Amino acid sequence: VVAGQAHLYFTSPISAQPFVKGGRLRIVAVTSLKRSPSMPEIPTVAESGYPDFDVVSWWGVLTPAGVPKEIIGRLHTEITKVLALSDTKAKFADQGADVASDTPEQFAAYIKSEIAKWSKLIKELGVKSE
C-alpha cells in the first residue's frame, strides 16, 4: 500500500502506526468488534456493515505445560503491575495497541475460542497445508 502496489491492507496497528503518523497511510477501520480506546475515532468493520467481523492481533505470555499455578499466578501479578504503569500504557497506546491483563484462565479460554473460530473457517474453506 505504501509503495502504491495495493489499495487496501490488513495489518496490526503497531505495524501501521509509523506510516500513519508519517501521513503515508490512513486507517479506515479496526477489525475488532469494539472501537479501539487508543483510536476511538476509527470505526469498526462491523460498523461498516459486516456485523460478525472480529479479527484481532494479540500477544500474550505463555509457559510450558505443567508450570505450577503458583508460578503462573506470580508471573501474572508481576506482568499486570508492569502493564498498569503509565509509561507502559502510553507506549502501547502510542503504537495503537490496547493493553488487557486478563486472568490466566480468561486468556486460556480466549485462546481456545480463537482455535475453534479459525479451525471452523479452515474446515469450511477446505484449506490444506502443503
Side-chain angles (χ1 to χ4, degrees), residues 9 13-14 17 32 34 43 45 62 69-70 76 81 126 129:
Y9 181 61
I14 290 174
Q17 205 65 11
S32 56
K34 295 180 181 177
V45 172
L62 303 170
K69 286 189 179 226
E70 300 79 35
H76 177 259
K81 286 179 188 176
S129 64

Side-chain angles (χ1 to χ4, degrees), residues 35-55:
R35 288 187 180 210
S36 169
S38 61
M39 300 177 285
E41 71 283 2
I42 307 295
T44 67
V45 172
E47 290 174 292
S48 301
Y50 300 91
D52 296 327
F53 199 98
D54 183 25
V55 179

Side-chain angles (χ1 to χ4, degrees), residues 68-78 104:
K69 286 189 179 226
E70 300 79 35
I71 292 175
I72 292 172
R74 176 72 190 270
L75 282 169
H76 177 259
T77 298
E78 297 304 320

Side-chain angles (χ1 to χ4, degrees), residues 45-111:
V45 172
E47 290 174 292
S48 301
Y50 300 91
D52 296 327
F53 199 98
D54 183 25
V55 179
V56 296
S57 298
W58 54 268
W59 297 267
V61 177
L62 303 170
T63 65
V67 170
K69 286 189 179 226
E70 300 79 35
I71 292 175
I72 292 172
R74 176 72 190 270
L75 282 169
H76 177 259
T77 298
E78 297 304 320
I79 291 168
T80 300
K81 286 179 188 176
V82 172
L83 292 174
L85 297 172
S86 59
D87 289 353
T88 304
K89 287 181 182 179
K91 186 66 173 174
F92 276 101
D94 186 49
Q95 296 179 26
D98 304 317
V99 176
S101 54
D102 295 343
T103 66
E105 294 78 19
Q106 290 168 321
F107 188 42
Y110 178 73
I111 292 171

